[in-house]
Amino acid sequence: MEKQPKDIRQHRSQIIPLTIIGIGLIILGLVATRVIFIREPSTNSSVVPAVVNFRAPDLRLNNLSGEEIRLSDYRQQIVMINNWATWCPPCKAEMPVLQDYYHDHQDQGFMLFGIEAGDPQADVASFVKEYRLTFPILLDPRNQSLTAFNNDSLPSSYVIDHDGYVRLAWTGPINRDMLEKYVTPLVEQ
């Protein structure tokens, strides 16, 4: 067996630890990707809403049947706007919570509009059927709602009082406890 020069042996001895470190970094990257991007958000997590006070925009959007809905026509009710998309995992996670809250409070003068941020109507209709949503869904192909509220994060939600002022603003998913704590007192006024 031929003896290898010293620098080749030294080079090989450096390759093995670097290869192990490289494989370790790849594994760490895969785990981090799984934790950050693939896991489903918990429906128990929720952000606390910001207390705000500004005039609600007068949005005019079409529902799934093609009828134009004007936000200003609902000024005598407490209205929640929920900006969402069919592809958004936190939006999907909060939909059953929003549906249940709407079902329980719609007879008290509470209205919820889900404003879908630009997906094709057929995809939105399929999503609504799959999640059994009964609150009105509005189509927003030009993202007018996101622009009007100056927030392009999804999901984002806003609660509008009887006088047409936005009182609460959320960026991120909402759970039932937060709805009961912050929205129910407005509904019960």
Side-chain angles (χ1 to χ4, degrees), residues 92-105:
K92 292 176 182 181
E94 77 176 354
M95 280 300 161
V97 172
L98 295 174
Q99 174 57 46
D100 288 345
Y101 188 83
Y102 173 73
H103 179 267
D104 292 347
H105 294 281

Side-chain angles (χ1 to χ4, degrees), residues 4 11 25 28 44 50 58 64 73 81 88 101 104 117 127-128 132-133 135 137 139 151 170 174 179:
Q4 297 177 343
H11 180 68
L25 289 173
L28 182 62
N44 292 328
D58 188 18
L64 286 169
D73 290 343
I81 299 296
C88 165
Y101 188 83
D104 292 347
F127 184 97
V128 167
R132 297 182 176 129
L133 303 179
F135 56 88
I137 301 298
L139 301 171
N151 184 353
W170 272 274
I174 302 171
L179 290 169

Side-chain angles (χ1 to χ4, degrees), residues 69-138:
I69 304 296
R70 289 178 49 162
L71 189 57
S72 61
D73 290 343
Y74 294 85
R75 287 273 160 82
Q76 300 307 312
Q77 296 178 281
I78 297 297
V79 174
M80 176 179 258
I81 299 296
N82 176 256
N83 293 312
W84 65 283
T86 61
W87 50 263
C88 165
C91 301
K92 292 176 182 181
E94 77 176 354
M95 280 300 161
V97 172
L98 295 174
Q99 174 57 46
D100 288 345
Y101 188 83
Y102 173 73
H103 179 267
D104 292 347
H105 294 281
Q106 65 181 336
D107 293 336
Q108 296 174 292
F110 174 74
M111 175 55 75
L112 169 62
F113 289 107
I115 300 181
E116 205 292 324
D119 289 325
Q121 182 173 352
D123 293 351
V124 177
S126 177
F127 184 97
V128 167
K129 184 177 180 181
E130 178 184 345
Y131 282 80
R132 297 182 176 129
L133 303 179
T134 61
F135 56 88
I137 301 298
L138 307 180

Side-chain angles (χ1 to χ4, degrees), residues 2 16-17 21-24 29-30 36 42 56-57 61 74 78 91 100 109 117 128 131 133 137 140 142 148 170:
E2 202 174 299
I16 293 173
I21 290 171
I23 291 171
L30 292 172
I36 294 170
S42 168
L61 298 168
Y74 294 85
I78 297 297
C91 301
D100 288 345
V128 167
Y131 282 80
L133 303 179
I137 301 298
D140 192 5
R142 293 186 305 276
W170 272 274

